[in-house]
Amino acid sequence: MVDKDVHRASRWLAFATFFALVVADIAMAAVEPALPKVDWQRRASGEIDGPVTHVVGGNGQVFIAGWFSNVKDEAALGIAHWDGTRWRGLGPVVGLQLSITAMAWDGSRGRLYVAGSFGEIGGVAANGVAMWDGTRWSALRPAGAPSGYIPPPGIRSLVVDPVTGHLYAGGSFKAIEGQALSAVGRWD
């Protein structure tokens, strides 16, 4: 008799749980607004000759970095920019393969920051940290600091504070361009 009651109780519990889930699902559907349908759009899929390792963007701009040399028949050695209508190369990046290890976009100032194990980017000696201002590259280096190379893995992440415009870097480093830092640093 006990086994029969236990079996009946477990079936009742399973039915009650199922019923509660169905009622909860119907209630959530009635309360939650319908989400708009969003589809992925092709931007360069199949037209990049290597993997993309980093993507950042905003304000209609997209920047990609990775192990590629062309994007849609445009020479783009390791880094490219989508301006809303077409891709443009911003390189070349001269250094180790997978040279760019971090990217950050400052949309309010129109600046792209990159870091990695490169010695040069776009013809500018950058020693692992650089900024693109929309027309040219420049190295981020304190005034009077000696030129120093950041070995891999170096900087692994970058972020721009949208209020102050400060650039923060994190990674495996004890110094950047001669400035003693321990895994986190800020560029003013």
Side-chain angles (χ1 to χ4, degrees):
M1 193 68 161
V2 171
D3 288 337
K4 194 174 188 183
D5 289 339
V6 169
H7 183 67
R8 206 176 292 155
S10 66
R11 279 194 303 183
W12 172 249
L13 182 61
F15 173 75
T17 302
F18 173 76
F19 183 74
L21 290 173
V22 168
V23 169
D25 191 42
I26 292 169
M28 288 303 290
V31 172
E32 286 183 356
L35 295 175
K37 185 176 182 199
V38 179
D39 292 323
W40 286 96
Q41 296 180 8
R42 182 182 177 137
R43 283 291 173 252
S45 174
E47 299 168 341
I48 301 173
D49 65 355
V52 173
T53 57
H54 300 285
V55 178
V56 297
N59 305 350
Q61 315 245 12
V62 177
F63 297 88
I64 61 173
W67 294 4
F68 53 83
S69 55
N70 291 291
V71 178
K72 198 170 179 161
D73 299 325
E74 174 79 26
L77 299 174
I79 189 164
H81 169 231
W82 172 261
D83 64 9
T85 57
R86 71 180 210 123
W87 287 100
R88 297 170 199 262
L90 299 180
V93 179
V94 179
L96 301 175
Q97 191 171 25
L98 230 181
S99 294
I100 294 176
T101 58
M103 294 172 50
W105 170 245
D106 181 354
S108 64
R109 293 167 185 82
R111 296 176 180 165
L112 172 70
Y113 297 96
V114 298
S117 54
F118 53 86
E120 182 180 303
I121 189 165
V124 174
N127 298 319
V129 187
M131 177 188 72
W132 172 257
D133 66 7
T135 57
R136 66 181 181 282
W137 287 103
S138 59
L140 295 187
R141 175 179 299 143
S147 179
Y149 188 75
I150 301 170
I155 297 173
R156 304 298 294 167
S157 62
L158 293 171
V159 66
V160 176
D161 182 324
V163 175
T164 65
H166 292 146
L167 173 68
Y168 291 89
S172 302
F173 53 83
K174 295 188 192 257
I176 297 177
E177 291 289 345
Q179 296 289 335
L181 302 168
S182 182
V184 176
R186 182 182 87 187
W187 176 263
D188 296 326

